[in-house]
Amino acid sequence: MKKLIAIAIFVFAGFAVQAQETAKIEFKSEVIDYGEIQKGSDGVRVFEFTNTGTVPLVITDVTSSCGCTIPEKPKDPIAPGESGEIKVKYDTSRVGPIRKTVTVYSNADVPAKSIKIKGKVLE
């Protein structure tokens, strides 16, 4: 009986240690505010992040809620403790409010993370 309990404890501890080893993505800011910008202005902004996990962070895809926003993901894995960036380009030829969501897919503890851009393009 004692052997069975000891085996169960080792199996449980193994799962607990394995569950803790994961990548974690922590953004410097989850919202970028363009403010009020002129039509035709530079629409490129950068989301900075750090992998605060214990294994390399692999970003598999980055999508936007609209074709007017083009995100660019890092090509290489981000090592634990290292930083990276996701570039987002908004089409500033569209006049009006900016309210778009960019979704980051990765091997992090939260596999789909939403980040946002906002602002207003003036005539």
Side-chain angles (χ1 to χ4, degrees), residues 4 8 26 63 79 92 98 101-102 119-120:
L4 185 58
E26 187 174 311
T63 61
T92 58
I98 303 169
T101 301
V102 175
K120 185 175 184 180

Side-chain angles (χ1 to χ4, degrees), residues 46-82:
V46 176
F47 286 95
E48 297 177 11
F49 65 88
T50 302
N51 177 5
T52 59
T54 56
V55 299
L57 172 69
V58 178
I59 296 179
T60 55
D61 198 12
V62 181
T63 61
S64 71
S65 59
C66 172
C68 58
T69 307
I70 302 170
E72 183 181 320
K73 71 179 187 73
K75 294 178 177 133
D76 297 322
I78 309 299
E82 296 295 315

Side-chain angles (χ1 to χ4, degrees), residues 15-65:
F15 283 127
V17 168
Q18 185 180 24
Q20 291 174 354
E21 291 189 15
T22 184
K24 292 183 182 181
I25 190 167
E26 187 174 311
F27 284 92
K28 189 173 183 179
S29 175
E30 294 183 15
V31 177
I32 289 182
D33 188 351
Y34 280 66
E36 291 186 344
I37 60 173
Q38 292 298 314
K39 180 178 178 180
S41 297
D42 180 18
V44 177
R45 300 293 185 271
V46 176
F47 286 95
E48 297 177 11
F49 65 88
T50 302
N51 177 5
T52 59
T54 56
V55 299
L57 172 69
V58 178
I59 296 179
T60 55
D61 198 12
V62 181
T63 61
S64 71
S65 59

